[in-house]
Amino acid sequence: MKILVTGGAGYIGSHTIVELLQEGYDVVALDNFDNSYPSVLENIKSISGKNFDFAEVDIRNKTQLKQFISEQKDIAAVIHFAASKAVGESVALPLKYYENNVAGTVNLLEAMQENGIQQIVFSSSCTVYGEATPPVDENAAIPVAQSPYGNTKQICEEVLRDQSNATNLKVVALRYFNPIGAHESALIGELPIGVPNNLVPYITQTGIGKRATLTVHGNDYPTPDGTCIRDYIHVVDIAKAHVAAIDFLAKEKYHNPFSVFNLGTGQGNSVLEVIQAFEAVSGVKLNYQIGPRRSGDIIQIYADCQKAWDELGWKTLYDLEQSMASAWKWEQALAKK
Ligand code: NAD
Ligand code: WQD
């Protein structure tokens, strides 16, 4: 079975290709390297010992995208990661996000329809829930999005649902909570460009000495230790869920053409707990200070993953310490390069 992976050179896409190849799927991937590097492709091949096809394609370029997909034979399903993901940038450059994430997805769906490809797994996000009462299940209300980025995920889910109602398209939308960590080989991982926005790369970069101090954004929240709570999930667990979603789509009947699943651990951890986990696995005393709250932060969120456990037959394998250990190993490997 051949799977097209868009954004295949990216953080989650690269880990997912490894899992697909290891499970015996054929893969064809595309990326425009807007937020990734061609060397990732060789590292995926080294880890898996397998080859896959790749083309440098921009999903905003409808002509190029359609030509590429029409040249492929026997694509059974698409896993669609390609998108821009920086929340702050999306506030400053909303049109970039609507063009890349929404128009890019529409282009992809058009190309799929023209070529009779009827299955898609879509990268959605827990950001669609905004500030909800955890544990959050898939029936939680979807409030007005807090950022253009979040809005693109809400809109794309609606586009996919409408297209599944109108055609034979079958959709799985996966709402990731906070993906962290890296492959155990330390050959692939997250490659934040510039100063990281996300907590875990900021911690590991501070641990290695690339950043002087981590600032904890507020410790006066109504949580046990005053810092915000998130559901941090190992990227390999996220990747394995995509293989489960592909299996699920292959089995699923047309009566349920649009399914949504949370991907988390079901466990919430505070910023200070993540720092403690890092210190425990690395033996490094992290230089951090408490700063003011970061505007727009959700106080606490973690997933109810019962639906994914029951219907995808998937469960996480890694805990927070294992995830932090893999993130640290990756940062150390990067430092040697
Ligand atoms: P990433 O930036 O590492 O990967 C995305 C890849 O898509 C990159 O390689 C980038 O070069 C490529 N890309 C972007 N625009 C493209 C275009 N127009 N044409 C072709 N390729 C393009 O991000 P990631 O963390 O791997 O995220 C993958 C998906 O998961 C995204 O849709 C993101 O919104 C979603 N998501 C990520 C997180 C997270 O915290 N990492 C959480 C929830 C959802
Ligand atoms: C986690 C916690 C920060 C950095 C983002 C996106 C969201 C989704 C997941 C894609 C918060 C605190 C962080 C730092 C800190 N991505 N923090 N110091 O905010 O849950 O969500 O990633 O869909 O859309 O917004 O993740 O890693 O930025 O922050 O104290 O230097 O760490 O305040 O409490 P977040 P994050």
Side-chain angles (χ1 to χ4, degrees):
M1 201 171 158
K2 189 169 170 186
I3 312 295
L4 168 63
V5 179
T6 77
Y11 174 43
I12 306 172
S14 57
H15 289 82
T16 300
I17 294 175
V18 167
E19 296 301 317
L20 287 167
L21 293 172
Q22 284 175 348
E23 291 300 318
Y25 288 93
D26 285 338
V27 170
V28 56
L30 67 82
D31 205 296
N32 68 349
F33 300 120
D34 185 53
N35 197 35
S36 54
Y37 300 93
S39 57
V40 170
L41 305 171
E42 289 314 310
N43 292 338
I44 296 171
K45 290 174 190 169
S46 300
I47 294 168
S48 62
K50 293 188 177 163
N51 213 340
F52 62 95
D53 291 331
F54 175 84
E56 189 169 342
V57 172
D58 190 319
I59 60 167
R60 290 170 296 191
N61 184 335
K62 198 189 278 199
T63 311
Q64 188 192 33
L65 177 67
K66 285 187 175 179
Q67 188 181 340
F68 170 70
I69 290 185
S70 71
E71 284 165 6
Q72 297 297 314
K73 297 273 173 288
D74 307 326
I75 293 176
V78 176
I79 305 181
H80 179 33
F81 294 106
S84 304
K85 64 167 182 177
V87 175
E89 185 190 51
S90 81
V91 176
L93 302 173
L95 298 185
K96 171 179 172 181
Y97 279 69
Y98 289 111
E99 186 190 22
N100 206 26
N101 298 8
V102 180
T105 298
V106 171
N107 289 345
L108 178 65
L109 290 173
E110 270 185 33
M112 288 173 64
Q113 186 169 6
E114 284 178 17
N115 291 281
I117 306 168
Q118 294 180 348
Q119 299 176 17
I120 185 167
V121 179
F122 174 69
S123 297
S124 190
S125 168
C126 69
T127 195
V128 300
Y129 295 121
E131 185 84 66
T133 307
V136 178
D137 73 21
E138 293 81 355
N139 298 316
I142 306 291
V144 172
Q146 289 177 325
S147 69
Y149 168 74
N151 204 23
T152 68
K153 293 298 173 188
Q154 294 187 4
I155 293 169
C156 283
E157 284 196 14
E158 289 174 4
V159 169
L160 287 158
R161 194 191 51 224
D162 289 344
Q163 179 71 350
S164 73
N165 284 333
T167 68
N168 285 335
L169 185 72
K170 295 195 292 179
V171 180
V172 168
L174 299 175
R175 293 177 180 159
Y176 317 151
F177 280 64
N178 288 56
I180 62 167
H183 192 266
E184 61 178 5
S185 63
L187 284 172
I188 54 172
E190 194 170 4
L191 282 167
I193 292 169
V195 182
N197 292 311
N198 294 115
L199 177 63
V200 172
Y202 211 109
I203 288 177
T204 55
Q205 289 194 7
T206 307
I208 208 96
K210 219 168 152 183
R211 313 263 157 224
T213 312
L214 170 85
T215 300
V216 174
H217 298 318
N219 69 347
D220 58 351
Y221 286 99
T223 61
D225 66 19
T227 64
C228 292
I229 290 174
R230 299 286 184 276
D231 188 336
Y232 296 94
I233 173 170
H234 198 302
V235 66
V236 172
D237 279 326
I238 295 257
K240 287 178 186 294
H242 288 75
V243 180
I246 289 291
D247 292 347
F248 174 82
L249 279 171
K251 280 185 239 149
E252 186 70 5
K253 298 282 182 277
Y254 288 135
H255 68 261
N256 191 12
F258 181 83
S259 301
V260 178
F261 297 98
N262 285 341
L263 295 185
T265 63
Q267 164 109 29
N269 285 105
S270 71
V271 176
L272 293 180
E273 285 171 339
V274 177
I275 293 172
Q276 280 156 16
F278 169 76
E279 291 184 333
V281 298
S282 66
V284 172
K285 187 94 193 75
L286 194 73
N287 191 18
Y288 71 90
Q289 63 189 16
I290 306 296
R293 291 183 177 195
R294 182 173 72 175
S295 156
D297 258 341
I298 302 296
I299 301 169
Q300 60 168 335
I301 190 160
Y302 51 92
D304 177 327
C305 300
Q306 192 67 45
K307 189 174 178 219
W309 295 346
D310 292 347
E311 295 184 34
L312 296 181
W314 162 90
K315 274 200 168 169
T316 50
L317 299 175
Y318 300 98
D319 63 19
L320 180 63
E321 293 209 341
Q322 289 167 313
S323 300
M324 293 307 293
S326 73
W328 180 231
K329 190 175 171 189
W330 167 241
E331 190 69 62
Q332 289 174 302
L334 282 179
K336 286 191 195 127
K337 285 189 184 150

